[in-house]
Amino acid sequence: MVSPRRRAETRTAYLLLAPSLFGVVVFLLVPVLVVLGLGMFRWDLIGPRTFVGAENLLAVAADGRFARSLLVTAFFVVIVIPVQTVLGLATALLLDRGLPGTTVFRVVFVLPWICAPLVLGVVWRWILSPTDGALNALLGVRVEWLADPALALPSVAAVTAWTQIGYVALFFLAGLQAIPATVVEAARLDGASAWQLLWRIRLPLLRPTLFFVLVTGVISSFQVFDSVYALTPNGGPQGVTDVVAGRIYYEAFENRAVGQAAVMAVVLFVILVAVTVAQQRWFARRTTYELDT
């Protein structure tokens, strides 16, 4: 039998959790259910909704543009995630050395992440402009960074990675500073080189941080829209930057096919859940969250 004290503690715990639970239900579960419902209707945002069952799902499955956008997004993620992770880790390692001006650089590095992606996209569109862009003026050659189908996606991915490097670096820096100094010092006394310290000590102990960075990075990369839309509207040249979030937007607000857009959103949600679960299972057997010292 549960004691009165235990029941009181349980009630208190639920009361403390209530604000967070309210946010999860209202801003996560309810929107998901609404999108699932919209996926079974034909609606143009103006007229009445018409129930069509699985018709929207079949239309999306047969839509080559959506399949292409999934492929484009996958390539985008494959470019962005390694770049921002490696450069973020390298930046964190430099900041962890405690050189003069480290505090200032922490602020500078995180500024791109806190700025509005749409605004950054407009600025970078000017920088990458083929005629009066700053980058071409610096190089002294004319390069169609955003108009060339071979360069558009890597250029957009580079801009996105640039905005995330500071964010990733701050988390890696926190992880590095959480590593007990006694462990690093013991490795040094045993004759470990700088590379061995990184590969055998720091990186294994950074796996919880790496897991968080990869999960959040993959989710944000799959959902990217603002900066891509600002840099290359309408999917870019020959649709090479037609990412999934952009395809959902165009389908809902330009083609006014809200039902099909809802199905695309559900597919994206399922993909993200599957990828996140796969990452969690991979890291679960390889991650240590507590270190006995």
Side-chain angles (χ1 to χ4, degrees):
M1 182 176 179
V2 180
S3 64
R5 180 179 177 181
R6 185 60 181 271
R7 285 198 297 267
E9 291 176 348
T10 302
R11 286 195 298 268
T12 302
Y14 278 115
L15 286 175
L16 294 173
L17 287 173
S20 297
L21 290 175
F22 176 80
V24 169
V25 172
V26 173
F27 298 107
L28 179 61
L29 296 181
V30 171
V32 169
L33 294 176
V34 170
V35 171
L36 285 171
L38 287 175
M40 293 184 288
F41 289 85
R42 183 186 295 115
W43 187 36
D44 61 359
L45 291 173
I46 299 175
R49 293 187 295 269
T50 304
F51 181 79
V52 294
E55 183 178 313
N56 288 326
L57 177 61
L58 297 175
V60 169
D63 188 356
R65 294 175 302 175
F66 180 63
R68 179 190 172 101
S69 69
L70 287 174
L71 187 61
V72 168
T73 306
F75 279 122
F76 179 85
V77 173
V78 167
I79 296 173
V80 169
I81 296 302
V83 171
Q84 72 180 34
T85 304
V86 172
L87 293 182
L89 177 59
T91 303
L93 290 170
L94 290 175
L95 293 174
D96 189 48
R97 299 180 65 180
L99 299 175
T102 297
T103 303
V104 176
F105 281 111
R106 289 183 189 178
V107 177
V108 172
F109 288 148
V110 81
L111 283 177
W113 180 72
I114 65 177
C115 292
L118 189 62
V119 174
L120 291 177
V122 172
V123 173
W124 273 99
R125 189 173 182 180
W126 168 75
I127 294 174
L128 300 175
S129 174
T131 53
D132 57 352
L135 183 57
N136 283 350
L138 181 64
L139 297 175
V141 294
R142 178 186 174 92
V143 181
E144 300 282 350
W145 298 103
L146 301 176
D148 187 341
L151 296 176
L153 185 62
S155 298
V156 171
V159 172
T160 302
W162 171 80
T163 63
Q164 298 293 321
I165 289 174
Y167 166 82
V168 173
L170 287 182
F171 280 99
F172 276 130
L173 180 60
L176 287 170
Q177 294 180 345
I179 296 175
T182 53
V183 175
V184 177
E185 188 62 27
R188 285 176 178 163
L189 292 175
D190 288 338
S193 64
W195 173 253
Q196 289 173 328
L197 279 174
L198 174 63
W199 189 254
R200 297 183 178 275
I201 303 297
R202 289 192 170 100
L203 287 182
L205 295 178
L206 280 176
R207 282 174 184 164
T209 305
L210 180 62
F211 170 64
F212 175 82
V213 166
L214 289 179
V215 168
T216 57
V218 169
I219 291 174
S220 64
S221 297
F222 264 100
Q223 295 178 331
V224 68
F225 170 70
D226 308 57
S227 57
V228 176
Y229 181 80
L231 288 165
T232 54
N234 299 317
Q238 301 179 18
V240 295
T241 62
D242 187 20
V243 292
V244 173
R247 175 51 41 200
I248 294 172
Y249 169 82
Y250 299 133
E251 203 68 31
F253 298 104
E254 292 190 1
N255 299 335
R256 296 190 180 278
V258 176
Q260 293 186 26
V263 171
M264 294 178 185
V266 172
V267 172
L268 177 60
F269 175 77
V270 171
I271 291 174
L272 289 176
V273 170
V275 172
T276 301
V277 170
Q279 289 176 302
Q280 193 276 332
R281 290 187 175 181
W282 192 89
F283 275 95
R285 300 178 180 178
R286 298 169 174 84
T287 301
T288 299
Y289 291 92
E290 295 183 0
L291 182 64
D292 296 328
T293 57

